[in-house]
């Protein structure tokens, strides 16, 4: 059974086939998503909210992510596995390298994800030079947010649009292999997806990204802190978990005409 590689993901961008991504935190769900055909599985620090019951992601630590990444990796045969790096685990280059290396070499991740801006491009670049594949994350950055009401659409003003677009360009130049844009204005997310050669995965950023990612528990309608408003309510009309996940994959595969 062929594993999905980073090259396969890049090919989807070139061929205009949407990249379907969901989070998972245990072996059973990761096997389920893998069997359904999800391209990328993310062990997100969202586990702090949907698994641990906190109001934000800040309580998640390196041990938590290592533990859950190991669990998720056991259920995967095909999907590409990315592990989040929690808050305060990549503040310095050596610290970032040590923690990222453990997630890849010991826990089964193929890539790590870090929340990125112009203040830590050196960390991203350092990891890249050490052969650690990195997924950057811009727009809304949950590690900078304490309460759910702080989730607001980014890129509404000309200045904000320019800032976010510049960040996207800078992270690609620094070596990011993938980019997640969260809660960004749709037209801006579309512009970023066209501008960058790396795949751009959106969450609450419209339909024109190269792929979509959702927190699995949001898709299932069972998140501890409530369901985000941007989740398509049509999914909740599908009673079967299997069919709901497959519908998300099908919807993501069919990218709209530009």
């Amino acid at each position: 059974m062929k594993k999905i590689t980073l090259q396969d993901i890049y090919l989807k961008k070139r061929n205009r086939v949407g990249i379907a991504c969901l989070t998972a935190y245990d072996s059973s769900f990761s096997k389920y998503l893998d069997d359904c055909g999800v391209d990328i599985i993310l062990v997100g620090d969202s586990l702090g909210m949907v698994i641990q019951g906190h109001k934000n992601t800040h309580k998640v630590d390196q041990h938590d992510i290592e533990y859950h990444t190991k669990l998720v990796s056991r259920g995967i045969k095909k999907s590409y596995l990315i592990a989040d790096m929690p808050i305060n685990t990549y503040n310095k280059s050596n610290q970032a390298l040590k923690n990222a290396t453990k997630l890849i070499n010991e826990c089964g991740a193929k890539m790590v994800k870090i929340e990125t801006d112009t203040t830590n491009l050196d960390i991203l670049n350092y990891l890249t030079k050490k052969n650690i594949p990195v997924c950057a994350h811009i727009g809304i950055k949950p590690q900078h947010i304490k309460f759910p009401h702080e989730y607001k659409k980014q890129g509404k003003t000309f200045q904000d649009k320019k800032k976010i677009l510049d960040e996207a360009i800078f992270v690609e130049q620094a070596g990011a292999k993938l980019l997640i844009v969260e809660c960004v204005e749709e037209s801006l997310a579309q512009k970023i997806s066209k501008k960058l050669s790396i795949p751009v995965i959106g969450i609450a950023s419209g339909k024109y990204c190269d792929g979509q990612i959702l927190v699995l528990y949001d898709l299932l309608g069972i998140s501890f802190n409530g369901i985000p408003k941007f989740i398509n309510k049509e999914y909740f009309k599908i009673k079967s978990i299997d069919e709901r996940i497959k519908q998300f994959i099908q919807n993501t595969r069919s990218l709209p005409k530009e």
Side-chain angles (χ1 to χ4, degrees):
M1 191 172 294
K2 184 180 182 296
K3 284 184 174 291
I4 294 173
T5 65
L6 189 57
Q7 290 71 30
D8 295 326
I9 295 168
Y10 273 65
L11 189 62
K12 287 180 182 291
K13 177 180 174 84
R14 290 196 294 272
N15 291 339
R16 297 289 300 152
V17 177
I19 303 158
C21 319
L22 286 167
T23 64
Y25 315 98
D26 62 56
S27 300
S28 295
F29 264 126
S30 65
K31 182 180 184 300
Y32 200 84
L33 298 183
D34 190 77
D35 289 343
C36 285
V38 170
D39 299 309
I40 296 174
I41 294 176
L42 170 69
V43 181
D45 59 3
S46 50
L47 71 88
M49 301 168 76
V50 300
I51 301 294
Q52 296 175 342
H54 299 299
K55 294 295 183 184
N56 54 50
T57 66
H58 300 187
K59 297 288 187 180
V60 178
D61 60 22
Q62 178 70 16
H63 173 76
D64 293 330
I65 289 291
E66 288 177 10
Y67 172 77
H68 286 277
T69 302
K70 287 178 182 177
L71 300 186
V72 169
S73 68
R74 291 175 193 147
I76 291 176
K77 293 182 179 179
K78 298 171 292 184
S79 302
Y80 191 84
L81 178 58
I82 301 176
D84 243 333
M85 296 196 70
I87 190 170
N88 297 325
T89 64
Y90 53 97
N91 294 337
K92 297 181 180 180
S93 296
N94 288 341
Q95 174 201 35
L97 179 62
K98 176 183 176 183
N99 290 330
T101 299
K102 286 192 72 175
L103 289 171
I104 290 175
N105 289 350
E106 299 179 22
C107 304
K110 301 298 182 185
M111 179 181 287
V112 297
K113 180 172 78 65
I114 65 174
E115 295 184 8
T116 324
D117 54 35
T118 54
T119 67
N120 65 354
L121 291 173
D122 58 326
I123 301 292
L124 195 165
N125 186 246
Y126 180 78
L127 291 175
T128 298
K129 289 181 176 177
K130 294 294 183 179
N131 297 316
I132 301 290
V134 178
C135 174
H137 181 148
I138 65 172
I140 281 286
K141 303 179 181 80
Q143 291 173 12
H144 291 74
I145 286 179
K146 291 185 178 180
F147 304 103
H149 72 266
E150 296 179 70
Y151 282 85
K152 296 178 181 179
K153 191 70 75 174
Q154 305 291 297
K156 290 186 175 182
T157 68
F158 174 82
Q159 290 82 2
D160 286 344
K161 281 183 169 65
K162 185 179 185 306
K163 178 177 178 290
I164 294 170
L165 179 59
D166 285 346
E167 283 182 351
I169 293 169
F170 291 151
V171 298
E172 181 175 40
Q173 291 173 344
K177 300 297 187 289
L178 295 174
L179 175 63
I180 287 179
V181 293
E182 180 168 0
C183 208
V184 167
E185 283 289 333
E186 182 173 87
S187 60
L188 175 59
Q190 181 181 19
K191 188 172 184 179
I192 291 170
S193 299
K194 287 183 176 181
K195 185 81 172 177
L196 270 55
S197 61
I198 63 175
V200 177
I201 313 298
I203 178 168
S205 297
K207 58 189 177 183
Y208 293 104
C209 297
D210 301 309
Q212 299 291 331
I213 184 166
L214 289 179
V215 171
L216 176 62
Y217 287 27
D218 291 346
L219 179 62
L220 299 182
I222 57 173
S223 286
F224 182 81
N225 289 295
I227 312 306
K229 293 180 180 179
F230 65 84
I231 300 294
N232 185 347
K233 302 305 184 290
E234 291 298 312
Y235 286 125
F236 302 143
K237 296 178 181 179
I238 304 171
K239 300 305 180 184
S240 163
I241 293 176
D242 181 77
E243 291 304 316
R244 193 179 297 188
I245 291 169
K246 288 181 178 178
Q247 186 63 56
F248 166 74
I249 295 171
Q250 181 179 324
N251 290 352
T252 303
R253 290 270 188 268
S254 303
L255 292 179
K257 294 181 179 179
E258 299 178 324

